[in-house]
C-alpha cells in the first residue's frame, strides 16, 4: 500500500482479472503503467474505487449510473461517466472528458482501496493486447520486473474482464465491452430498449488511435489462434502439423485426443470463462505456436467469451 501511495506500480487481484495499479491522481505514476504494458497513451484506464461515494467524487453519476452502481457494486461492472475536473490525472483518462470506474468485489482489492483511500487506475496486468492474467504467476510471466510488487490473491473468480457501460446523462446507456455481468442483467435495471450494445465494434488495426476497447486483435496468446467447430478440429490440427507447428487445443468438455496439449473447459459459460485465459497462458507456456479452439455455443450467455475468442484470433500484424 505504501508503494502505491508513493506512485509505484502494484499488481493486485480482482474478481475479474489481475490489475496493474497506480494512483489515478498522479500523472507520472499512471504513465508508468502505460510504459510497463506497452499500451498506447490514447487508451484510457479503468479507475478502481472503494465505494459509490468515492466514485461520485471523481465523476457526475446520473440516475441510471447510480442505480447500476447500487445494483452491481462491488462487482464486475465498469461505469463510464462524465469526469469532474481535476479529480484524476489526465493520463488516466487519456485526456478525455469521461472516466471509467468500478468497485471491485475481491476482498483483497477492496481492503487495499479502502485503506488507501485513493482512486487506483488499473488496466489488466498484461502486456498490451496480450491475454489478461488470472493468477499472480501470469502477471509475473508477462510483466516480471516491470512492476514494483505483485499481490497474490489466488486465481480470479470470473477470469474475464468487467462489463463496461457508458452511462452519461442525456445519452442512451451504451455497452462498450461485454464481460462478467451479462447484458440481460443490465437490461433489467433500465428498459431493454434503452440499452445500446456497441461491444461488437471492431476498429481497423491500423487506426491511429483505436476507440477504447475496439482493437481488432486483443486478448491474444503469442501463437496463432484459430476457432473451429468440433467437426473441423481434426482438419485444423492436420493443417498445423503440415506447417510444423507445436499444437495446443482448447476443447469443450470432452478431450478430442488430437493434439499433444489439450485442455478441456466446462460447457457452462461462466466456468468456461473462468478457465479460458489460464488455458491460453498454459498452452503458450508449453510453447504452442498454434492454438486450436473449439467453437463455443451460440446464445447470449456466451457472447463475452465469443468476443474474446474473436479478437484473440485476429492475425498478428507483421
Ligand atoms: O475487469 C476489468 O475491467 C479489469 C480489472 C483489472 O478491473 N480491467 C481491465 O482494464 O480490463 P483494461 O484497461 O484492460 O480494459 C479497460 C477498457 C479499455 O478497453 C479502455 O479502452 C476502456 O476500458 N476504457 C477506459 N476508460 C474509458 C473511458 N473513459 N471511456 C470508454 N472506455 C474506457
Ligand atoms: Mg486489458
Amino acid at each position: 500500500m505504501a508503494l502505491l501511495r508513493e506512485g509505484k506500480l502494484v499488481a493486485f487481484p480482482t474478481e475479474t482479472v489481475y490489475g496493474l495499479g497506480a494512483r489515478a491522481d498522479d500523472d507520472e505514476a499512471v504513465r508508468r503503467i502505460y510504459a510497463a504494458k506497452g499500451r498506447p497513451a490514447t487508451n484510457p484506464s479503468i479507475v478502481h474505487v472503494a465505494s459509490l461515494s468515492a466514485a461520485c467524487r471523481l465523476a457526475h453519476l446520473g440516475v441510471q449510473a447510480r442505480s447500476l452502481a447500487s445494483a452491481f457494486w462491488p462487482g464486475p461492472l465498469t461505469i463510464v461517466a462524465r469526469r469532474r475536473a481535476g479529480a484524476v490525472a489526465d493520463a488516466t483518462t487519456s485526456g478525455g472528458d469521461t472516466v471509467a470506474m468500478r468497485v471491485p468485489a475481491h476482498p483483497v482489492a477492496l481492503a487495499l482501496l479502502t485503506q488507501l483511500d485513493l482512486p487506483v487506475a488499473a488496466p489488466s496486468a498484461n502486456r498490451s493486447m496480450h491475454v489478461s492474467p488470472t493468477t499472480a504467476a501470469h502477471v509475473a510471466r508477462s510483466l516480471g520486473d516491470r512492476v514494483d510488487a505483485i499481490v497474490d490473491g489466488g486465481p480470479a473468480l470470473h477470469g474475464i474482464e468487467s462489463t463496461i457501460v457508458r452511462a452519461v446523462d442525456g445519452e442512451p446507456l451504451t455497452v462498450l465491452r461485454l464481460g462478467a455481468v451479462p447484458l440481460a442483467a443490465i437490461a433489467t435495471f433500465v428498459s431493454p430498449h434503452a440499452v445500446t450494445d456497441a461491444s461488437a465494434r471492431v476498429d481497423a488495426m491500423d487506426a491511429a488511435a483505436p476507440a477504447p476497447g475496439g482493437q481488432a486483435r486483443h486478448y491474444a496468446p503469442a501463437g496463432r489462434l484459430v476457432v473451429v467447430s468440433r467437426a473441423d478440429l481434426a482438419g485444423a490440427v492436420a493443417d498445423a502439423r503440415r506447417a510444423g507447428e507445436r499444437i495446443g487445443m482448447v476443447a469443450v468438455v470432452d478431450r478430442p485426443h488430437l493434439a499433444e496439449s489439450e485442455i478441456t473447459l466446462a460447457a457452462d459459460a461462466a466456468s468456461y470463462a473462468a478457465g479460458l485465459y489460464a488455458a491460453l497462458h498454459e498452452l503458450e507456456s508449453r510453447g504452442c505456436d498454434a492454438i486450436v479452439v473449439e467453437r463455443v455455443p451460440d446464445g447470449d450467455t456466451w457472447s463475452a467469451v465469443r468476443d474474446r475468442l474473436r479478437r484473440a484470433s485476429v492475425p498478428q500484424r507483421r
Side-chain angles (χ1 to χ4, degrees):
M1 199 163 59
L3 288 172
L4 278 172
R5 207 178 285 286
E6 288 165 21
K8 298 276 189 350
L9 298 188
V10 177
F12 61 92
T14 83
E15 77 280 29
T16 57
V17 299
Y18 276 66
L20 177 58
R23 52 190 293 174
D25 59 348
D26 180 340
D27 241 343
E28 222 174 286
V30 174
R31 273 199 240 114
R32 264 184 225 125
I33 298 179
Y34 286 77
K37 281 179 61 83
R39 176 179 173 116
T42 49
N43 192 0
S45 281
I46 293 180
V47 176
H48 297 69
V49 289
S51 63
L52 173 56
S53 58
C56 291
R57 290 199 288 273
L58 307 183
H60 302 280
L61 296 181
V63 179
Q64 279 190 329
R66 276 168 204 263
S67 89
L68 287 173
S70 329
F72 293 102
W73 285 356
L77 183 74
T78 296
I79 298 175
V80 173
R82 193 84 62 202
R83 82 192 257 214
R84 291 185 190 279
V88 293
D90 282 343
T92 303
T93 60
S94 302
D97 59 358
T98 57
V99 56
M101 299 164 297
R102 79 179 190 99
V103 178
H106 195 290
V108 173
L110 207 46
L112 190 88
L113 291 163
T114 306
Q115 284 172 40
L116 192 63
D117 196 24
L118 285 170
V120 173
S124 51
N126 50 274
R127 299 284 181 105
S128 188
M129 297 200 280
H130 202 79
V131 184
S132 299
T134 58
T135 67
H138 297 157
V139 180
R141 200 157 66 83
S142 165
L143 296 171
D145 53 13
R146 292 169 170 238
V147 300
D148 298 300
I150 301 173
V151 181
D152 190 347
L157 174 70
H158 295 294
I160 193 163
E161 296 82 356
S162 60
T163 299
I164 305 181
V165 291
R166 180 179 161 106
V168 171
D169 260 355
E171 284 180 14
L173 205 65
T174 307
V175 175
L176 301 179
R177 179 178 72 185
L178 296 172
V181 173
L183 214 52
I186 294 169
T188 60
F189 285 87
V190 289
S191 145
H193 310 291
V195 192
T196 309
D197 182 4
S199 63
R201 187 195 54 205
V202 174
D203 294 313
M205 266 196 290
D206 53 2
Q215 302 98 318
R217 180 178 165 86
H218 201 165
Y219 314 107
R224 80 186 169 92
L225 185 149
V226 288
V227 180
V228 297
S229 68
R230 182 99 189 167
D232 291 338
L233 289 176
V237 166
D239 288 346
R241 268 206 222 298
R242 268 194 297 277
E245 292 172 315
R246 185 190 287 258
I247 308 159
M249 184 173 286
V250 180
V252 184
V253 189
D254 299 312
R255 249 203 90 174
H257 297 284
L258 291 165
E260 308 81 62
S261 280
E262 293 182 344
I263 294 176
T264 57
L265 296 174
D268 75 282
S271 316
Y272 184 102
L276 176 62
Y277 290 159
L280 297 180
H281 278 286
E282 175 61 27
L283 294 175
E284 186 184 86
S285 74
R286 292 187 205 166
C288 297
D289 31 38
I291 298 180
V292 180
V293 178
E294 178 179 352
R295 182 170 301 143
V296 297
D298 294 334
D300 287 350
T301 52
W302 288 88
S303 44
V305 165
R306 277 197 306 272
D307 170 81
R308 301 309 188 270
L309 289 174
R310 186 164 49 80
R311 292 182 201 268
S313 60
V314 171
Q316 195 147 22
R317 209 172 6 172
R318 309 230 166 239

